[in-house]
């Protein structure tokens, strides 16, 4: 499985990457799923993604494919053994996404393994009087990412239409654009104390940029709903109006009317790089070169930030060095910009340098912030999984050294097609 994706690591960095990837592989074989047993975020579904892409990068040599299938089977078993929430990252929708993604790309399936998940999602979206969170991690945008992976399945298209219906019902439209409020009951207690009336969340993981990324993903996947461009245009206009104007944090983590907004870290989950990625994705999906200019200006600004300014702590995809390495790799592959490629290499080397042999999983302990999310005040723990753990680090490193496009990042809403694919599409 090869594409126009190009490995960009130099010989020395590539050798170090492959060495660490091998250590992550061995550590995951020894430790298994950890506490989060079945999910995409931290459980066997996420491990299945890592081992499947590892097998593809090695051209099918070695046992990684068997390990991936075993992990995938374990996550599928979880659907019948455990009561799971619906969310993309911690629930049954995420297992469905993993099944669909891997069986379409790497493994054959004799039957539709996700029809029961569609049925469960249909029932959930039909509940009367319920207002659904719109976010990526555990809400409508995440459900939509799963359904976009299912297209052109007619049931998926039908349910995508229902999601857009629900988004329209709760949209707030003004001269500033279109937006959606995060209700207090959707927020963790510490955040609710700070904003008891709710807020407008500006993180990809839990907020409005993730919704924009979903709209772009659905459009790229072939969902031709005429409401998508209007919603994307209104949301982008609103989002671009929330800039802080600060070099170290152009966008805040959240916005509350009549309150000063605070800068945030440089990461995928919250911060400018994640917003730049979904904005570039939206620019390509909806044919908006003006959005692309905004996205790449923001990406280049992030590329010039120091490690201290970025406030990275660990190596994970969510808010760590590997996540930044992967985002800059995506930006570079999508544009050919050498500055963004150098940033990808710099953050890759940083990911390799921060290993702590004997700690965490393969030398990568994961940082879990305390309730108020203060950088530098949290707990460290061994996490094997996709989002904050060693499997995600391994996937980012594979993207630096393999010609297999890391399409697993569709679930991060950052799968911007490489430049060569864009040129062919035109």
């Amino acid at each position: 499985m090869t594409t126009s994706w190009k490995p960009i690591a130099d010989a020395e960095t590539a050798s170090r990457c492959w060495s660490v990837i091998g250590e992550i592989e061995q550590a995951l074989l020894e430790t298994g799923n950890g506490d989060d047993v079945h999910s995409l975020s931290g459980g066997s579904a996420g491990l299945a993604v890592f081992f499947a892409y590892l097998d593809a990068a090695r051209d099918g040599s070695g046992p990684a494919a068997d390990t991936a299938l075993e992990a995938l089977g374990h996550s599928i078993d979880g659907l019948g053994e455990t009561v799971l929430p619906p969310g993309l990252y911690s629930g049954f929708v995420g297992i469905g996404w993993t099944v669909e993604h891997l069986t379409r790309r790497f493994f054959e399936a004799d039957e539709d393994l996700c029809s029961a998940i569609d049925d469960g999602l249909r029932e959930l979206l039909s509940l009367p009087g319920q207002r659904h969170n719109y976010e990526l991690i555990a809400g409508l945008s995440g459900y939509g990412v799963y359904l976009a992976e299912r297209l052109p399945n007619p049931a998926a298209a039908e349910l995508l239409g229902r999601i857009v219906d629900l988004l329209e019902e709760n949209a707030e439209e003004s001269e500033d654009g279109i937006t959606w409020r995060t209700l207090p009951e959707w927020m963790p207690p510490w955040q609710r104390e700070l904003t008891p009336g709710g807020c407008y969340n500006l993180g990809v993981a839990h907020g409005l940029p993730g919704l924009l990324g979903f709209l772009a993903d659905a459009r790229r996947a072939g969902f031709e709903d005429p409401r998508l461009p209007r919603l994307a245009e209104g949301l982008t206009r609103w989002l671009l109006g929330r800039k802080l104007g600060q070099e170290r944090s152009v966008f805040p983590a959240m916005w509350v009317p009549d309150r000063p907004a605070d800068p945030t870290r440089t990461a995928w989950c919250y911060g400018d790089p994640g917003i730049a990625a979904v904005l570039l994705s939206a620019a390509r999906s909806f044919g908006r070169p003006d959005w692309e200019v905004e996205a790449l200006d923001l990406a280049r600004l992030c590329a010039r930030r120091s490690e201290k300014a970025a406030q990275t702590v660990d190596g994970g995809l969510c808010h760590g060095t590997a996540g930044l390495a992967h985002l800059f790799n995506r930006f570079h592959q999508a544009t050919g910009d050498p500055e963004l490629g150098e940033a990808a290499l710099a953050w890759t080397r940083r990911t390799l340098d921060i290993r702590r042999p004997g700690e965490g999983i393969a030398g990568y302990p994961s940082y879990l912030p305390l309730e108020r999310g203060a950088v530098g005040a949290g707990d460290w723990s061994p996490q094997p999984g996709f989002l904050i753990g060693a499997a995600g680090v391994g996937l980012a490193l594979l993207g630096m050294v393999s010609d297999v496009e890391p399409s697993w990042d569709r679930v991060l809403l950052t799968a911007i097609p490489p430049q060569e694919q864009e040129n062919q599409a035109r």
Side-chain angles (χ1 to χ4, degrees), residues 302-343:
C302 294
R304 295 163 193 159
R305 282 186 193 147
S306 67
E307 180 191 350
K308 181 178 180 180
Q311 302 182 74
T312 51
V313 179
D314 66 5
L317 290 177
C318 183
H319 46 259
T321 59
L324 290 177
H326 181 71
L327 286 175
F328 286 118
N329 197 4
R330 264 294 177 191
F331 293 141
H332 172 68
Q333 303 275 350
T335 64
D337 188 318
E339 180 180 14
L340 299 173
E342 284 301 317

Side-chain angles (χ1 to χ4, degrees), residues 202-204 209 212 239 251-252 267-268 271-280 295 298:
L202 271 68
V204 172
L212 178 61
L239 182 64
F251 289 93
W268 168 79
D272 297 337
I275 292 174
V278 297
L279 187 56
L280 181 56
L298 186 58

